[in-house]
Amino acid sequence: MTSSTRDSSIINRFDGAWHRLKLLVTSETFLYVVKRLLQGLLTLLLASALSFAIIQLAPGDFLDTLRQNPKISPERIEELKEQFGLDQPAIIQYWRWLVRVVTKFDFGTSFAYFRPVSSLLLERIPATLLLAVASIFITWTIAIPLGILAAVNQNRTTDRFLQVISYTGQGFPSLITALLLLILAQNLSPLVPVGSMTSINHDDLSPIGKVLDIGWHMILPTIALSITSFAGLQRITRGELLDVLRQDYIQTARAKGLPENRVIYVHALRNAINPLITILGFEFASLLSGSFIAEIFFNWPGLGRLILQAVTAQDLYLVMGSLMMGATMLILGNLLADLLLKVVDPRIRLEDLK
């Protein structure tokens, strides 16, 4: 290959790569994602300021508990006050915290744990995500088919039976469900474990044994999280599919002699799924907060217990870090739902989504 041919090949590859990059940057999806992320940053800024102000309105601070301890001298209290920055006005405290977050991604140091907030959150996130994702997977795997079954058999025995299950599931708050499962676990002990995420001998197990051990401990908290969500999602699926099945184009598809399964699963379900995808976005946003009750009752080492302790102790920066993480999940969840809607229904224009 001559030098001119080699140079021409390099130029052609460069032009091709540049053209693909230009198409990506100017595409509707890319521009929409950039726009939403910029809006999300502004939302996080406003949410952080509002959250900080509300926390400051609460009476007292973290040091109030320490002041009641006679073993801690007033001099030590003043040292901690200066160390945590609580001796400064609220606006100064917020500005310093914001600068650290933007420049170093540092959410401050926990008052109670004397550790960086980011490390505490990252330490607990895997356990909470594991529990919440398992709950969503089980909920959707069961609720969607049962919702379809109820809609197809409207007002029949199957539909009425599933409606009874749905109303019963929604009638039990997560608190009551967790209590009932604890009673069940007590009667089934030691078949169903309660407390913690692993067994005492977890470290001595094989890799497969460790996975099975964690899955064994996930049974009750996952059920506690899934029951209420399952009942609501089943009803929504049934209602949305019934609305679509009444549309004229469905009647037209049936009149053309299309198989009923094709009418339901191809034509009807594709249009009924859009609202469910929006719900999935909100569920993604609630991953970190929805498992709160289950973590408390079943002693699951996740974010729920950590955040409760932070709020109780008025651990300012740990509470702020938790709130910002929840707001970020909400923004990403909504963005994910919009992109999934575009994938499922190409007719949807992202710029029309609000």
Side-chain angles (χ1 to χ4, degrees), residues 137-203:
F137 176 78
I138 292 175
T139 298
W140 282 66
T141 301
I142 299 176
I144 299 296
L146 290 184
I148 296 172
L149 182 63
V152 172
N153 296 277
Q154 183 184 13
N155 297 328
R156 298 178 184 174
T157 303
T158 301
D159 181 30
R160 291 170 181 169
F161 175 72
L162 291 176
Q163 285 193 58
V164 171
I165 294 178
S166 175
Y167 284 120
T168 303
Q170 284 194 304
F172 279 94
S174 299
L175 177 66
I176 303 300
T177 303
L179 285 173
L180 292 176
L181 288 175
L182 281 176
I183 295 174
L184 176 65
Q186 183 180 9
N187 294 325
L188 295 179
S189 179
L191 295 178
V192 182
V194 176
S196 189
M197 185 177 173
T198 57
S199 301
I200 299 177
N201 63 335
H202 179 79
D203 293 336

Side-chain angles (χ1 to χ4, degrees), residues 105-127:
F105 203 68
D106 179 11
F107 288 89
T109 301
S110 167
F111 298 165
Y113 293 90
F114 284 91
R115 289 179 53 192
V117 169
S118 55
S119 68
L120 283 170
L121 296 178
L122 290 174
E123 189 178 88
R124 300 293 186 99
I125 284 176

Side-chain angles (χ1 to χ4, degrees), residues 308-342:
L308 176 63
Q309 294 168 1
V311 172
T312 304
Q314 291 185 292
D315 195 341
L316 174 63
Y317 298 127
L318 185 52
V319 174
M320 285 295 297
S322 303
L323 292 175
M324 290 302 96
M325 184 167 51
T328 302
M329 296 292 285
L330 178 61
I331 293 170
L332 294 178
N334 289 333
L335 177 59
L336 177 63
D338 290 346
L339 296 178
L340 286 176
L341 282 174
K342 177 67 175 178

Side-chain angles (χ1 to χ4, degrees), residues 3 33 62 76 95 105 113 115 120 131 153 170-171 173 176 204 211 222 227 234 245 247 264 274 278 300 337 339:
S3 176
V33 170
F62 173 78
R76 178 56 179 165
W95 176 251
F105 203 68
Y113 293 90
R115 289 179 53 192
L120 283 170
L131 188 61
N153 296 277
Q170 284 194 304
I176 303 300
D204 300 329
V211 173
T222 302
I227 288 179
Q234 177 192 319
L245 289 174
Q247 300 299 317
I264 294 173
N274 289 358
T278 303
W300 188 264
L339 296 178

Side-chain angles (χ1 to χ4, degrees), residues 21-46:
L21 178 61
K22 186 177 179 180
L23 290 176
L24 172 64
V25 173
T26 57
S27 66
E28 178 194 14
T29 302
F30 180 83
L31 294 175
Y32 179 78
V33 170
V34 172
K35 175 184 174 183
R36 288 295 299 271
L37 290 178
L38 292 176
Q39 292 176 344
L41 291 176
L42 178 59
T43 302
L44 288 177
L45 176 62
L46 297 176

Side-chain angles (χ1 to χ4, degrees), residues 16-310:
W18 173 255
H19 180 68
R20 288 191 295 270
L21 178 61
K22 186 177 179 180
L23 290 176
L24 172 64
V25 173
T26 57
S27 66
E28 178 194 14
T29 302
F30 180 83
L31 294 175
Y32 179 78
V33 170
V34 172
K35 175 184 174 183
R36 288 295 299 271
L37 290 178
L38 292 176
Q39 292 176 344
L41 291 176
L42 178 59
T43 302
L44 288 177
L45 176 62
L46 297 176
S48 66
L50 180 61
S51 300
F52 201 93
I54 293 175
I55 294 172
Q56 292 294 330
L57 292 175
D61 56 32
F62 173 78
L63 297 178
D64 285 345
T65 304
L66 300 182
R67 290 189 180 96
Q68 299 174 8
N69 190 342
K71 296 182 179 180
I72 302 179
S73 65
E75 291 77 14
R76 178 56 179 165
I77 296 294
E78 290 301 319
E79 289 179 6
L80 292 175
K81 187 175 182 180
E82 182 177 354
Q83 178 182 346
F84 295 147
L86 298 178
D87 58 333
Q88 299 294 325
I91 186 65
I92 301 299
Q93 295 180 40
Y94 173 71
W95 176 251
R96 290 180 175 177
W97 175 83
L98 184 62
V99 170
R100 289 200 304 268
V101 171
V102 173
T103 59
K104 303 178 181 179
F105 203 68
D106 179 11
F107 288 89
T109 301
S110 167
F111 298 165
Y113 293 90
F114 284 91
R115 289 179 53 192
V117 169
S118 55
S119 68
L120 283 170
L121 296 178
L122 290 174
E123 189 178 88
R124 300 293 186 99
I125 284 176
T128 297
L129 285 179
L130 178 63
L131 188 61
V133 170
S135 172
I136 288 180
F137 176 78
I138 292 175
T139 298
W140 282 66
T141 301
I142 299 176
I144 299 296
L146 290 184
I148 296 172
L149 182 63
V152 172
N153 296 277
Q154 183 184 13
N155 297 328
R156 298 178 184 174
T157 303
T158 301
D159 181 30
R160 291 170 181 169
F161 175 72
L162 291 176
Q163 285 193 58
V164 171
I165 294 178
S166 175
Y167 284 120
T168 303
Q170 284 194 304
F172 279 94
S174 299
L175 177 66
I176 303 300
T177 303
L179 285 173
L180 292 176
L181 288 175
L182 281 176
I183 295 174
L184 176 65
Q186 183 180 9
N187 294 325
L188 295 179
S189 179
L191 295 178
V192 182
V194 176
S196 189
M197 185 177 173
T198 57
S199 301
I200 299 177
N201 63 335
H202 179 79
D203 293 336
D204 300 329
L205 299 176
S206 64
I208 296 179
K210 291 180 179 179
V211 173
L212 294 177
D213 183 46
I214 294 175
W216 186 41
H217 284 77
M218 287 176 59
I219 294 176
L220 290 182
T222 302
I223 293 175
L225 282 176
S226 302
I227 288 179
T228 304
S229 300
F230 153 78
L233 184 61
Q234 177 192 319
R235 290 188 61 197
I236 293 173
T237 303
R238 176 184 180 274
E240 293 294 336
L241 189 57
L242 284 176
D243 288 341
V244 174
L245 289 174
R246 298 188 185 102
Q247 300 299 317
D248 292 338
Y249 69 90
I250 296 296
Q251 305 304 325
T252 302
R254 285 172 170 163
K256 289 180 178 179
L258 293 178
E260 187 66 13
N261 286 340
R262 182 176 178 83
V263 172
I264 294 173
Y265 294 103
V266 176
H267 294 276
L269 187 59
R270 177 179 296 179
N271 291 279
I273 202 72
N274 289 358
L276 302 180
I277 293 177
T278 303
I279 294 174
L280 178 61
F282 284 106
E283 286 198 3
F284 178 77
S286 64
L287 284 177
L288 303 182
S289 59
S291 56
F292 176 80
I293 293 178
E295 289 183 8
I296 298 297
F297 273 81
F298 296 101
N299 198 28
W300 188 264
L303 283 169
R305 295 166 56 197
L306 180 69
I307 295 173
L308 176 63
Q309 294 168 1

